[in-house]
Structures are given as structure tokens and as C-alpha cells.
Amino acid sequence: MENKNVWTSVLYVILFVSVFFLLQALAELLGAACYAIATGGSFSAALGSGSGELTAITIVVGSLLSIALFVRMGWAPVSRNYLKSRPWAVIVWTMLLGLGCILPMEFIGEKLQLMMPDELQQLFEVVMKTPWGYIALGIMAPVTEELIFRGAVLRTLLGVLGGNRHWVAIAISALVFGLVHLNLAQGAHAFLAGLMLGWLYYRSGSIIPGIIVHWVNNTVAYVMFNLMPEMNDGKLIDLFHGNERMMYGGLFFSLCIFVPALYQLAVRLRRA
């Protein structure tokens, strides 16, 4: 019976990921069609336009479709119970956790020499330059990805891999989260982040702490991109004007935020 439940959960995870991709593809087709009508161009030209605003709007539409479907189908139950517990201290510490992990994660990525493909990097930069880019990546992406990969995927896996095996469920969900990014650089970052986000979901029973960490990370990326465009192709050390001592000082300061935040959350969050 247990093996049957495990395989049923695996099928559900495959379903969730497949639906996620299908809805993103549908949103892209709808966006291209509307763009072609609005500009008077062809549908194929719209698909390959590389418009940052169109891409951002497509992400927003795909996110809204995903949220609506997953909530409507009950794949990712949503309630206000967690907020009713007034977890204000947890929210503050999750914000600090999000801030504290940014520089260390960037440092790890550089040490592993993980670089996004040029085409994807260019598309990312075009999207980030538009106001719709923040709505897409700063707001909708955190909500949608936490709803699907923690609220649906991880919740399902924990249903059959709970107890002492919860880290197996968290690791699998993090791996799935990394794989859906379809490139090594983002995938490795997403996997590491997925472990932390999965732990937050396991301990809180809510996607809200994960959304906050996700939102902080993406918001800082958006702000830094637009305030310091010269850093977009640079490395972490460039943020500190080439001063290695300052860079390691910044990393140490980040860890002085991250470690206490992690400890406080471990103390404050009870297993759901």
C-alpha cells in the first residue's frame, strides 16, 4: 500500500510540473497573439520579438492561470489560518533570512562557475528593465512558485515521506524546483534555495514564509539591476570595487544576519 501511495504521489508531482509548463506555454501563445493584433504584425514575429514587456506580461498571465487552477483543483490548498496566528516575528526573521542568503548564494554560484546561457541572460535583462518585470519576477513568481513547488509538490511528497523522511521529500521537491529552470546556473541556485524554502514550509505548514524569502531575493535582484546596471555582467567582488577584504567582510556580515535568522526561525517555527 505504501509503495502504491508513493507512486501516486510521483504521478501527481509529474502532473503538477506538466500543468505548470503547459500553462506557461499557453500564456506565451495568448500573449503573442494579443501582441500581434496590437502591433499589426504576424504571430510568428510576435513569438520571436524578444520584447521584455511582452515576456513579463506572459509570465504574469501564466502565473495567474497557475494560481487559479491549482487553488480551484485543491492541489495547493489556501487558507488564512497561518496569518490568523499573527506570525509577525517569523515574517521579520524570514525577511532577514532572505537578505542574509543573497551574497553567500552568489558567492557559491561564482565558485562553482555557474553562468546563465547568454540568450537567457539577455532575455532576463530585457524583462528586468520594464515595470512589468517587477510584477512578473518580484511578485508573481514568488507567489506562484511557492504555491506550486511547496504548496502542491512538497505537500504531496510529505504526505508519503513524512516523519523522519521529511528531508527526502524536501530534497526531491528542491531537485524538481531546480530542474524546471532548465539551465545549470539557475537550477543549482534554485535547488539550494529550494532546500531552505522546503524546510520553511515543513516547519510552518504555510507557503507564506517561503513567499517572503523568495520576494526579498527577487526584489533585491530587481533593485540592484536597475540601480547599478554596471554590475549586471560583473562578479561579486565588483560590488566591492575589487576589494577582496571588503567582499569577505560583506559575506561575513551576511552570515551574521543569516545564521541568527535561521536559528530564530528554527526556534519559533514548530513542525506543522
Side-chain angles (χ1 to χ4, degrees):
M1 179 62 73
E2 184 178 354
N3 289 336
K4 182 178 179 181
N5 291 336
V6 169
W7 283 111
T8 300
S9 298
V10 170
L11 291 175
Y12 267 111
V13 170
I14 294 173
L15 172 65
F16 297 153
V17 174
S18 299
V19 169
F20 173 70
F21 276 117
L22 285 173
L23 290 176
Q24 295 300 316
L26 176 61
E28 184 176 359
L29 293 175
L30 290 173
C34 293
Y35 188 80
I37 293 172
T39 59
S42 67
F43 177 74
S44 58
L47 276 177
S49 66
S51 167
E53 192 169 54
L54 172 60
T55 302
I57 292 174
T58 294
I59 294 172
V60 172
V61 173
S63 296
L64 291 173
L65 290 173
S66 298
I67 292 171
L69 182 62
F70 274 75
V71 173
R72 180 69 180 83
M73 296 298 294
W75 294 338
V78 175
S79 74
R80 299 179 182 178
N81 292 338
Y82 186 71
L83 286 177
K84 288 180 180 178
S85 68
R86 299 181 179 180
W88 314 133
V90 170
I91 289 176
V92 171
W93 284 112
T94 51
M95 292 179 70
L96 291 173
L97 186 75
L99 285 172
C101 72
I102 292 173
L103 293 186
M105 292 287 280
E106 180 65 24
F107 180 76
I108 292 172
E110 289 185 5
K111 287 301 180 182
L112 294 177
Q113 297 183 339
L114 300 175
M115 300 292 293
M116 280 199 297
D118 291 339
E119 291 184 3
L120 185 60
Q121 180 67 30
Q122 292 172 4
L123 180 62
F124 177 77
E125 292 178 0
V126 171
V127 171
M128 292 285 272
K129 291 177 182 178
T130 70
W132 276 98
Y134 179 68
I135 298 174
L137 302 178
I139 299 176
M140 298 307 300
V143 174
T144 307
E145 292 178 2
E146 291 311 303
L147 184 77
I148 295 174
F149 294 99
R150 258 59 66 180
V153 172
L154 180 54
R155 183 182 66 85
T156 298
L157 292 173
L158 285 173
V160 293
L161 294 171
N164 296 328
R165 297 181 297 175
H166 66 276
W167 274 112
V168 177
I170 292 173
I172 293 173
S173 67
L175 181 61
V176 172
F177 186 48
L179 290 174
V180 299
H181 284 77
L182 301 179
N183 68 86
L184 184 58
Q186 284 183 304
H189 182 278
F191 172 73
L192 294 175
L195 294 174
M196 179 174 64
L197 295 168
W199 175 78
L200 286 172
Y201 178 80
Y202 170 73
R203 293 295 294 266
S204 67
S206 171
I207 64 173
I208 291 174
I211 288 175
I212 293 170
V213 172
H214 212 143
W215 167 73
V216 167
N217 181 80
N218 290 14
T219 297
V220 170
Y222 182 85
V223 171
M224 290 291 291
F225 180 90
N226 287 282
L227 288 183
M228 303 179 68
E230 69 277 5
M231 285 295 302
N232 297 334
D233 297 324
K235 294 186 176 181
L236 182 60
I237 196 170
D238 296 328
L239 180 64
F240 299 92
H241 307 290
N243 190 316
E244 192 174 82
R245 180 176 295 181
M246 286 183 62
M247 181 188 75
Y248 283 108
L251 287 169
F252 178 75
F253 179 73
S254 294
L255 291 175
C256 287
I257 298 174
F258 178 80
V259 174
L262 189 63
Y263 171 77
Q264 285 292 328
L265 289 169
V267 170
R268 294 173 183 275
L269 290 175
R270 295 180 178 180
R271 176 182 169 187

